[in-house]
């Protein structure tokens, strides 16, 4: 994935909580750019704008632009940054993937998303609850590839576990629930077999 925003609780930084995952994803050959939000009070749509600006910089002006395929971009984010990933996917249907972790997406739904989207959350997340993710995922059009993964534990901060023994297993502990269209479901099984 070529974009990530991680402002957990609207105040965390990429360096403190998300950078571990950037290095791990890059080890598979992806070019990764990690960003912080402009201000801790930016909502999901502002963060989507920031993610798209980061992708534009990466593909048009960055020193590594010749190593990035502008036709194969994706976005990830956690919490309000996950809402930003949804916002970016709504506005740029050419993206190849969106992976919002526990997305705080209070001002939008997925009804306009055409980008393959995998939402992840944790059963014990009291900030972005499984019920809110169920409602959000239900708005994804049936014509859009999608998956919803609910982890059995991890709370709202599950994407920040990389500093411990879960670094090579970013999907956290045992998966509790998965709802996916058949093509995505087989990809998830293939990913699970690798980790």
């Amino acid at each position: 994935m070529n974009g990530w925003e991680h402002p957990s609780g609207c105040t965390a930084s990429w360096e403190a909580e998300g950078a571990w995952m950037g290095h791990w994803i890059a080890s598979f050959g992806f070019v990764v750019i990690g960003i912080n939000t402009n201000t801790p009070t930016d909502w999901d749509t502002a963060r989507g704008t920031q993610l798209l600006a980061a992708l534009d910089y990466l593909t048009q002006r960055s020193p590594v632009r010749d190593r990035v395929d502008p036709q194969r971009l994706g976005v990830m984010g956690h919490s309000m940054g996950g809402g930003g990933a949804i916002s970016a996917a709504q506005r740029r249907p050419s993206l190849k993937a969106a992976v919002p972790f526990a997305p705080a997406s209070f001002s939008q739904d997925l009804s306009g998303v055409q980008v393959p989207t995998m939402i992840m959350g944790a059963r014990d997340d009291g900030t972005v609850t499984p019920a809110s993710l169920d409602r959000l995922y239900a708005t994804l059009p049936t014509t859009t590839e999608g998956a919803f993964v609910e982890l059995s534990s991890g709370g709202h901060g599950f994407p920040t576990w990389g500093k411990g023994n879960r670094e090579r297993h970013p999907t956290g502990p045992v998966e509790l629930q998965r709802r996916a269209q058949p093509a995505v479901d087989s990809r998830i099984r293939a990913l699970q077999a690798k980790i």
Side-chain angles (χ1 to χ4, degrees):
M1 299 291 152
N2 293 332
W4 162 280
E5 182 175 337
H6 185 282
S8 176
C10 301
T11 58
S13 70
W14 161 259
E15 296 84 5
E17 296 190 12
W20 76 269
M21 191 181 290
H23 295 287
W24 185 78
I25 292 170
S27 75
F28 293 94
F30 291 95
V31 176
V32 177
I33 184 170
I35 65 172
N36 290 318
T37 185
N38 288 338
T39 71
T41 57
D42 288 345
W43 285 92
D44 50 357
T45 52
R47 293 170 192 224
T49 299
Q50 294 160 26
L51 283 168
L52 294 175
L55 291 178
D56 291 344
Y57 167 78
L58 185 66
T59 59
Q60 298 168 17
R61 298 181 308 282
S62 77
V64 298
R65 68 183 174 273
D66 61 329
R67 295 175 22 203
V68 180
D69 182 346
Q71 303 304 312
R72 298 178 59 202
L73 302 174
V75 290
M76 307 174 74
H78 173 239
S79 193
M80 196 64 73
I86 292 170
S87 177
Q90 288 175 328
R91 290 185 274 159
R92 192 166 293 173
S94 62
L95 292 172
K96 298 302 180 196
V99 183
F101 296 120
S105 186
F106 308 116
S107 65
Q108 56 194 352
D109 63 31
L110 302 175
S111 62
V113 174
Q114 300 171 26
V115 174
T117 301
M118 182 173 74
I119 295 176
M120 293 184 73
R123 181 194 309 174
D124 57 350
D125 187 338
T127 304
V128 179
T129 65
S132 69
L133 294 179
D134 282 338
R135 287 188 299 275
L136 180 65
Y137 185 72
T139 65
L140 187 69
T142 58
T143 55
T144 300
E145 287 186 275
F148 173 65
V149 177
E150 184 178 286
L151 305 177
S152 61
S153 66
H156 191 63
F158 73 87
T160 67
W161 293 339
K163 296 175 184 159
N165 64 357
R166 291 181 175 92
E167 183 165 347
R168 297 197 185 277
H169 305 284
T171 57
V174 178
E175 175 186 317
L176 170 71
Q177 186 177 71
R178 179 184 64 237
R179 281 172 256 144
Q181 296 172 3
V184 175
D185 193 48
S186 64
R187 289 184 200 135
I188 290 171
R189 280 194 299 276
L191 175 64
Q192 288 172 324
K194 291 181 181 179
I195 59 172

